[in-house]
């Protein structure tokens, strides 16, 4: 019997993808009005709340504009020559930034609990994941998994299956986060130091120190993701 892992599914991402395709296929020109919220929600078979979540990200990235009382329009700033890859990367980056904001909320609690509950075996597993990250080659076939293993091993140290699943559900976005920053010169060694500080705080059974170390790490990641966008577009 083969059991396949159930992958977490974000409905609004499907909506974004379909709207992107409509734009990229040329079915809408810059300045064109989009169908009404009600029409789109019915066409997609989703709630209007989910549709608004998709629109919020598309608006943030400048793909659509909302005019009070006038509906939503494809941004006039877009042209048919717009680079497809850049559009997709910007949408992905917007999702990553939102993930980082969420991680600042839920991972701080995870790392604090890990600092309280971690056993010697838990700490050994976190250390093992950290050392794998320290020796991995960013050009290898699998430069990302050690980073995922580090954060997942911390979640496991809470001995709370719900928190472990919470991290596991977002592994795909954790991977996307790292791929946006892994090639930045010097970033690999910086991440190692940031991870090491988190580990040390957990070993010292210091929740406040662990939280501060994690927040510093996430703030650095956010800064690098944002600056990478500037460099890519500049």
């Amino acid at each position: 019997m083969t059991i396949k892992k159930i992958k977490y599914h974000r409905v609004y991402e499907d909506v974004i993808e379909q709207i992107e395709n409509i734009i990229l296929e040329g079915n809408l020109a810059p300045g064109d009005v989009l169908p009404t919220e009600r029409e789109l929600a019915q066409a997609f078979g989703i709630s209007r709340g989910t549709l608004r979540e998709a629109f919020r990200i598309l608006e943030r990235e400048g793909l659509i504009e909302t005019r009070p009382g006038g509906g939503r329009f494809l941004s006039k700033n877009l042209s048919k020559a717009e680079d497809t890859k850049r559009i997709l990367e910007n949408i992905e980056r917007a999702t990553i930034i939102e993930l980082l904001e969420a991680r600042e909320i839920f991972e701080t609690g995870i790392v604090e609990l890990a600092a309280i509950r971690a056993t010697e075996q838990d700490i050994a597993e976190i250390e093992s994941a950290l050392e794998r990250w320290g020796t991995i080659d960013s050009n290898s076939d699998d430069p990302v998994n050690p980073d995922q293993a580090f954060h997942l091993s911390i979640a496991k140290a809470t001995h709370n299956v719900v928190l472990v699943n919470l991290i596991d559900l977002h592994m795909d976005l954790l991977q996307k986060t790292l791929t946006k920053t892994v090639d930045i010169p010097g970033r690999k060694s910086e991440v190692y130091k940031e991870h090491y500080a988190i580990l040390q705080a957990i070993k010292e059974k210091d929740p406040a120190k662990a939280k501060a170390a994690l927040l510093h790490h996430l703030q650095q990641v956010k800064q690098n993701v944002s600056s990478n966008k500037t460099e890519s577009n500049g």
Side-chain angles (χ1 to χ4, degrees), residues 103-220:
R103 287 178 66 187
E104 288 181 357
I105 297 172
F106 68 77
E107 271 196 73
T108 48
I110 288 174
V111 79
E112 286 178 308
L113 196 57
I116 295 170
R117 294 183 176 176
T119 64
E120 290 300 320
Q121 182 178 347
D122 293 329
I123 290 173
E125 289 184 11
I126 300 171
E127 285 182 321
S128 176
L130 177 64
E131 291 312 309
R132 283 179 59 207
W133 168 250
T135 59
I136 199 74
D137 180 358
S138 62
N139 294 319
S140 73
D141 293 333
D142 193 18
V144 177
N145 278 349
D147 182 72
Q148 296 176 342
F150 178 78
H151 290 285
L152 189 58
S153 64
I154 291 175
K156 288 178 178 178
T158 66
H159 298 273
N160 182 312
V161 68
V162 175
L163 295 178
V164 174
N165 287 335
L166 187 60
I167 293 293
D168 200 29
L169 287 174
H170 292 87
M171 278 297 174
D172 58 332
L173 282 175
L174 287 175
Q175 180 173 359
K176 290 178 182 178
T177 302
L178 187 61
T179 56
K180 292 295 180 187
T181 60
V182 71
D183 292 327
I184 295 176
R187 182 57 190 152
K188 180 174 176 286
S189 61
E190 289 175 357
V191 172
Y192 181 85
K193 292 175 183 177
E194 291 160 18
H195 282 183
Y196 181 80
I198 296 170
L199 169 63
Q200 286 302 110
I202 292 173
K203 291 175 75 171
E204 294 169 15
K205 303 288 186 182
D206 190 332
K209 188 174 179 180
K211 177 180 178 179
L214 177 73
L215 283 174
H216 173 71
H217 170 56
L218 294 179
Q219 287 161 5
Q220 292 301 110

